[in-house]
Amino acid sequence: MSTTAIFLVFDMFPSFSGVAPAARLLACAFAAGTCISFNAHAHGTHTHGHGTARLTVDGPVVEVSIDVPLESYLGYDYPPHGEAQQQVWDAFAARVGNPLNFIEPAAEARCTVTAASTTPDIGKATPAVDISNVVLAVKFHCEQPAALKSFSLHAFRDHPGLKQLRVQMQLNGQRKTVTVRPRFPAITL
């Protein structure tokens, strides 16, 4: 509700017409702040186009978690409207079934996916449900962990709305944070 609309509401009730302009402005600010906070809470907190990731390497075991607003993957963050948006949803649901469509370790390390999931479970979610963020969790086992020198982030390839990932890495006890963008969609260890 805009402040103009709230002022009009005040003007409609004679008992409020004598309220000082400063008090009316304070009431407007409170009402607007309440509307904004309820809306932000209902849809979750995120920045469109920006996601976060955690990457942990512990010997041959690699765990990755990628948290991205649904809008960055689909181009919209509400249930699909029309056939074109339904096709985008269906293509995304098919891609998310294979975590290598989003992140892939260096081939030389010979890593295999041992577990993968999405929250919410996109395979079971109906597109009519309001989803703010999608978290993809993947666990790899690498036969040659010494050869694990990089990861390719294929999520940028199929999702132009994804502009950057802030990646927090924990590599055998050491921490490092990097920002990855479509121009260079890889993490070098």
Side-chain angles (χ1 to χ4, degrees), residues 49 72-73 155-163 182:
S72 299
Y73 287 135
F156 292 109
R157 176 185 61 210
D158 295 319
H159 308 286
L162 183 58
K163 303 298 182 197

Side-chain angles (χ1 to χ4, degrees), residues 65-104:
S65 172
I66 303 172
D67 185 348
V68 173
L70 183 63
E71 185 273 341
S72 299
Y73 287 135
L74 302 180
Y76 58 90
D77 59 356
Y78 47 82
H81 298 295
E83 186 60 31
Q85 288 184 350
Q86 183 63 47
Q87 289 174 355
V88 170
W89 169 268
D90 293 342
F92 174 68
R95 274 192 304 276
V96 84
N98 180 359
L100 297 179
N101 287 328
F102 294 83
I103 186 163
E104 186 174 11

Side-chain angles (χ1 to χ4, degrees), residues 9-173:
V9 170
F10 274 118
D11 290 338
M12 289 179 4
F13 296 99
S15 61
F16 288 119
S17 62
V19 175
R24 291 170 66 179
L25 185 58
L26 183 61
C28 290
F30 175 75
T34 302
C35 292
I36 290 169
S37 67
F38 284 146
N39 193 20
H41 179 70
H43 195 63
T45 57
H46 61 255
T47 302
H48 291 189
H50 295 215
T52 59
R54 293 184 183 271
L55 180 120
T56 304
V57 178
D58 188 13
V61 178
V62 176
E63 294 184 51
V64 180
S65 172
I66 303 172
D67 185 348
V68 173
L70 183 63
E71 185 273 341
S72 299
Y73 287 135
L74 302 180
Y76 58 90
D77 59 356
Y78 47 82
H81 298 295
E83 186 60 31
Q85 288 184 350
Q86 183 63 47
Q87 289 174 355
V88 170
W89 169 268
D90 293 342
F92 174 68
R95 274 192 304 276
V96 84
N98 180 359
L100 297 179
N101 287 328
F102 294 83
I103 186 163
E104 186 174 11
E108 300 81 25
R110 298 198 331 245
C111 300
T112 55
V113 176
T114 59
S117 65
T118 58
T119 305
D121 185 347
I122 298 299
K124 294 180 182 174
T126 63
V129 175
D130 187 24
I131 299 171
S132 58
N133 282 31
V134 175
V135 179
L136 172 66
V138 186
K139 189 172 187 178
F140 295 96
H141 183 271
C142 301
E143 291 180 30
Q144 300 292 324
L148 190 59
K149 303 292 183 195
S150 66
F151 286 85
S152 296
L153 289 161
H154 301 306
F156 292 109
R157 176 185 61 210
D158 295 319
H159 308 286
L162 183 58
K163 303 298 182 197
Q164 75 174 34
L165 280 174
R166 184 91 170 142
V167 183
Q168 298 174 351
M169 298 184 288
Q170 186 167 350
L171 311 168
N172 300 316

